[in-house]
Amino acid sequence: MKTIIIGGVAGGASAAARLRRLDENQEIIILERGEYISFANCGLPYYIGGEIKEKSALTLQTPESFMARFNVEVRILNEALEIDTERKTVTVKDLRSETVYEESYDRLILSPGAKPILPDIPGINSDRVFTLRSIPDTLKIKNYIDKNSPRTAVVVGGGYIGAEMAENLKNAGIDVTIAELSDHLIAPLDFDMAADVHRYMIDNGIKLELNNGLKAVKETENGLTVSLDRGEISADMLIMSVGVRPESELAKKAGITVNDRGSIVTDRSMRTNIKDIYAVGDAVQVRNFITKEFTFTPLAGPANKQGRIAADNISGLSSGYSGTQGSAILKLFDMTVATTGLNEKSALACGIEYDKTYIYSASHATYYPGASNMSIKALWDKNSLRLIGAQIVGFDGVDKRMDVIAAAIRLGAKVTQLTELELCYAPPFGSAKDPVNMLGFVAENVVTGKVKQFFWHDVDALPRDGSVTLLDVRTAAEVKRGKIDGFMNIPLDGLRGKLELLPKNKPVYVHCHSGLRSYIACRILIGNGYDCYNLAGGWRLYESVKNQRKVPPYVCTECK
C-alpha cells in the first residue's frame, strides 16, 4: 500500500507519523511545496519579537529526521499540480529542477492548509506589506526589521495573530497601531470581555483603531501612508492579519466537493467524496461541537487530531472527528486571554436561548503572595443548563481554568455541575473554592432563583425617577474612585441597620465591585421581603466596558 500526503505541518505530518505507527510496511510520501515539513506555526511571532532566539527552534521535524524516525519520504519543494482520481496519480513539480513527474497512490491525504487573505485594495503588494503564515514569511519580516530598523508599524486585524504580532513588534522596539474593522479585538471574545484587553494593550503602548478598516496603502518617500475608513496613519511597515482562507484549488480541480467558502467537505472519518482521498487541517470544513453547524476553524489542535483520524481509517480502524469547539489561548505581554465554545454573538446567531454570568476571582488563595484576579464569563443553555461557552481574561492561572471548562464542555456538563468538580488546592496554586467552582456556584444561584441578575448593558436604561431603588454596597472609599450615576451608597456591612431607607414596594438593583458583596446584599434584602436584582460582573465590568480606562489599583475587600 502506498499513501501520498500533500502538505505537512500539523495535519499532514501528524497523519504520516500515525500511519507509520499503525503500519510498518506501507510506503508513505509527503509532498511539500515549501522548504519546511513541520514547523511551530504558533511560535512565529515570538521569533520576530526575540522571545525565541534561534530560528532552528521553529523547525519541529526535517526530511532527514522524519525518514530516520518514521521511514517516511519527505519531498520538500515539490508542488502537487494535479490529481487524477481515475488513474489515482498526482502530477508533481520539483521546484528546484523544474521537472514534472507523476506519482501513483493507493490512498491520498490532502493537507494543503490555508493562506492569508489579502484584500484587493491599492498598494497591498508593496514590499513594506507583510503577512505571517510560514517560516519564510517570518524571516522576511525579521530581515526587514534587522536591515531597516523601522520605528512604526500598523497591524491590520486584531485577531490572535494580529495581537501577538503587535506585542512582538512592540518588544522589538517598534511603535505599533492595530487597525481593526470590528468594535473589539479577539473575535471569539464578546465586547465586554475584550474591554479589559483594550485598556491593557493601551497601557502597554499599543494604539488601537477600532471600527476602522483598511482602505488603501500608499508608498511614500519615507514609508507608507495607511488609509483607513477614518483617517490616515504613517508607518514604516504594515502587517496584514485579517484572516485566512482554505487552499482548496487543487482539490476543487480534482472534483472534490468544497463548500461555498472553499473548505473541503469530508465526513467524520475525514473522507472526501472521492474514494480513497482524505482531507485534514485548515482546508477542511468542520462541525461546531456545540451547535453541530458547519464552520471554518483553523487551529493546530484540530488539525493534529484530524491527521490521526485519517490515518486510523486508512489503517482499518474506526475513528471519527466529533467537532471543533474553538478552544484557544493568547499571551499579550503578561496578560492571558482564553476562550472556548460559543460567545454571545454565535449563540444568538444559532438561536440558542442562553443565560450568562460573570465572576472576578483570584488565581490562588489571596493570603498567599502573588494572587491576581481573573475575569470569567460563562454561557449556558437555559433549557438544558448545558455549558456552551466561556471566556477568561487575566494573568496567572487562566490556562488551567479554561482547560477545565473546555473539558467540561466536551463532556457535556451542565453549568451547575462545575460546583461538583474536585480540583487541586494548595495556597500557591488555587483556593478551596476554585474559580471554576465559584463560576458553578454563581450559575447555580441564578438557575435556582436565589438571585436575579441584571447586566452592564441594562444599567443606563434603569429609571432614575424613583420608581426603582438603585443601591451601591461598596465602601465609601471605593465610591470615591468612581460610581454609577443614580445609585445610593450603603456599604454592605451597614445594610441591615438601614433597611428602613429602602421602600419594600420597589425593586432594588444592587451592585458592588465584582458581584459578590451585592449577591450577599440581595440575599439580605430577599430575606427581608424585597425584590432584588444583582449586577453581574459588578461595577468593575461596567466601568471597563463604558470607559475602557485603567482603574486605580487597590485591595479588593471582597476577595479576602
Side-chain angles (χ1 to χ4, degrees):
M1 176 117 88
K2 178 180 178 182
T3 298
I4 292 180
I5 301 170
I6 298 176
V9 196
S14 176
R18 175 66 169 175
L19 204 55
R20 174 58 73 221
R21 291 194 297 269
L22 295 175
D23 187 344
E24 182 62 23
N25 297 312
Q26 76 163 284
E27 184 180 1
I28 306 170
I29 299 172
I30 298 178
L31 301 174
E32 170 57 54
R33 72 182 176 195
E35 296 180 60
Y36 303 92
I37 181 60
S38 181
F39 59 90
N41 190 289
C42 297
L44 300 181
Y46 300 101
Y47 177 70
I48 293 169
E51 191 74 18
I52 296 174
K53 304 294 184 185
E54 299 297 329
K55 183 183 74 171
S56 59
L58 299 173
T59 306
L60 305 179
Q61 292 282 356
T62 65
E64 294 76 20
S65 67
F66 231 83
M67 173 58 77
R69 178 162 296 183
F70 296 110
N71 192 26
V72 170
E73 182 183 355
V74 177
R75 301 178 187 172
I76 61 171
L77 297 171
N78 274 246
E79 181 178 8
L81 301 178
E82 189 174 358
I83 301 167
D84 187 327
T85 60
E86 295 293 328
R87 297 173 54 234
K88 299 182 78 169
T89 61
V90 179
T91 301
V92 186
K93 182 177 183 179
D94 186 322
L95 299 178
R96 286 169 292 198
S97 66
E98 297 291 317
T99 58
V100 176
Y101 64 95
E102 277 191 350
E103 195 72 50
S104 64
Y105 67 86
D106 297 304
R107 303 286 190 274
L108 181 65
I109 301 176
L110 303 179
S111 179
K115 59 185 176 183
I117 295 171
L118 280 176
D120 184 15
I121 60 172
I124 199 66
N125 295 316
S126 166
D127 289 340
R128 295 173 182 261
V129 175
F130 304 88
T131 60
L132 181 64
R133 185 68 183 173
S134 65
I135 289 180
D137 292 340
T138 307
L139 299 180
K140 187 177 179 182
I141 295 171
K142 187 73 164 62
N143 291 338
Y144 179 84
I145 293 172
D146 292 343
K147 181 179 178 180
N148 297 282
S149 300
R151 293 177 298 170
T152 57
V154 172
V155 176
V156 178
Y160 286 104
I161 297 298
E164 287 174 343
M165 276 303 302
E167 174 198 357
N168 282 281
L169 289 172
K170 184 68 178 179
N171 289 340
I174 300 171
D175 188 21
V176 183
T177 300
I178 298 177
E180 168 56 49
L181 182 61
S182 78
D183 63 357
H184 68 282
L185 304 180
I186 321 300
L189 289 177
D190 288 313
F191 178 82
D192 48 19
M193 295 296 285
D196 279 352
V197 178
H198 295 166
R199 67 183 184 186
Y200 181 76
M201 293 287 275
I202 292 168
D203 288 345
N204 279 276
I206 305 295
K207 301 179 184 71
L208 301 183
E209 289 286 344
L210 303 175
N211 287 309
N212 210 1
L214 178 66
K215 290 176 61 178
V217 180
K218 182 180 179 181
E219 287 207 29
T220 66
E221 184 178 343
N222 298 319
L224 298 173
T225 297
V226 181
S227 299
L228 305 177
D229 291 333
R230 301 187 315 277
E232 294 182 340
I233 302 173
S234 295
D236 296 320
M237 62 185 299
L238 184 147
I239 308 291
M240 287 299 303
S241 183
V242 295
V244 296
R245 60 167 56 97
E247 288 222 50
S248 57
E249 294 83 0
L250 180 67
K252 187 175 180 180
K253 191 165 65 172
I256 295 169
T257 302
V258 300
N259 65 15
D260 292 340
R261 188 169 190 162
S263 297
I264 300 171
V265 176
T266 69
D267 62 13
R268 293 182 73 253
S269 302
M270 310 314 299
R271 293 184 179 92
T272 69
N273 62 304
I274 304 294
K275 188 176 186 297
D276 295 328
I277 299 181
Y278 298 73
V280 302
D282 292 353
V284 305
Q285 169 184 273
V286 295
R287 282 191 185 273
N288 183 285
F289 176 75
I290 297 163
T291 67
K292 309 307 178 188
E293 300 288 332
F294 289 116
T295 186
F296 174 62
T297 310
L299 292 170
N304 274 282
K305 293 178 180 69
Q306 292 160 11
R308 180 184 177 93
I309 288 165
D312 282 353
N313 285 283
I314 287 172
S315 301
L317 302 178
S318 180
S319 181
Y321 188 65
S322 58
T324 298
Q325 69 189 66
S327 299
I329 193 164
L330 172 69
K331 171 191 172 296
L332 291 174
F333 300 101
D334 293 327
M335 177 177 272
T336 305
V337 180
T339 63
T340 190
L342 305 182
N343 58 18
E344 289 198 63
K345 181 180 179 180
S346 53
L348 283 168
C350 294
I352 297 174
E353 189 180 1
Y354 68 91
D355 207 344
K356 62 182 179 180
T357 199
Y358 308 80
I359 67 168
Y360 191 57
S361 289
S363 55
H364 60 248
T366 53
Y367 60 81
Y368 187 89
S372 62
N373 283 351
M374 64 185 78
S375 183
I376 308 180
K377 177 179 183 178
L379 279 66
W380 65 90
D381 186 303
K382 271 189 176 181
N383 299 310
S384 66
L385 304 186
R386 182 187 176 197
L387 189 62
I388 60 171
Q391 302 160 44
I392 308 180
V393 176
F395 297 90
D396 181 50
V398 169
D399 54 343
K400 168 183 172 180
R401 275 62 186 217
M402 186 54 81
D403 282 343
V404 171
I405 295 170
I409 290 177
R410 179 62 61 160
L411 297 175
K414 296 180 179 179
V415 67
T416 51
Q417 289 178 311
L418 297 180
T419 63
E420 304 171 19
L421 297 179
E422 187 173 333
L423 304 174
C424 297
Y425 161 60
F429 304 105
S431 302
K433 293 179 181 177
D434 189 86
V436 175
N437 298 134
M438 290 299 299
L439 188 63
F441 294 143
V442 172
E444 183 182 60
N445 288 336
V446 173
V447 168
T448 58
K450 293 182 180 67
V451 68
K452 291 185 285 188
Q453 299 184 113
F454 69 110
F455 301 101
W456 63 267
H457 46 76
D458 301 320
V459 171
D460 292 346
L462 291 173
R464 266 70 170 179
D465 59 2
S467 59
V468 300
T469 299
L470 307 179
L471 178 62
D472 179 346
V473 296
R474 297 176 299 155
T475 66
E478 290 174 278
V479 173
K480 284 182 180 179
R481 298 185 183 99
K483 63 181 182 178
I484 304 175
D485 290 342
F487 279 72
M488 66 184 295
N489 177 229
I490 303 177
L492 173 63
D493 292 343
L495 180 60
R496 286 186 179 88
K498 295 186 177 181
L499 291 179
E500 72 278 1
L501 300 177
L502 308 177
K504 282 192 176 181
N505 62 342
K506 299 178 182 178
V508 184
Y509 290 83
V510 189
H511 85 80
C512 65
H513 181 71
S514 71
L516 176 56
R517 283 172 292 170
S518 50
Y519 163 68
I520 296 170
C522 271
R523 292 306 303 163
I524 292 171
L525 292 168
I526 291 168
N528 283 277
Y530 291 84
D531 181 21
C532 192
Y533 296 80
N534 184 28
L535 177 57
W539 179 83
R540 69 154 303 279
L541 178 64
Y542 173 84
E543 189 278 337
S544 178
V545 174
K546 298 297 289 186
N547 299 311
Q548 294 188 27
R549 59 178 173 79
K550 189 177 177 69
V551 181
Y554 70 98
V555 175
C556 176
T557 57
E558 62 198 86
C559 300
K560 293 272 185 180

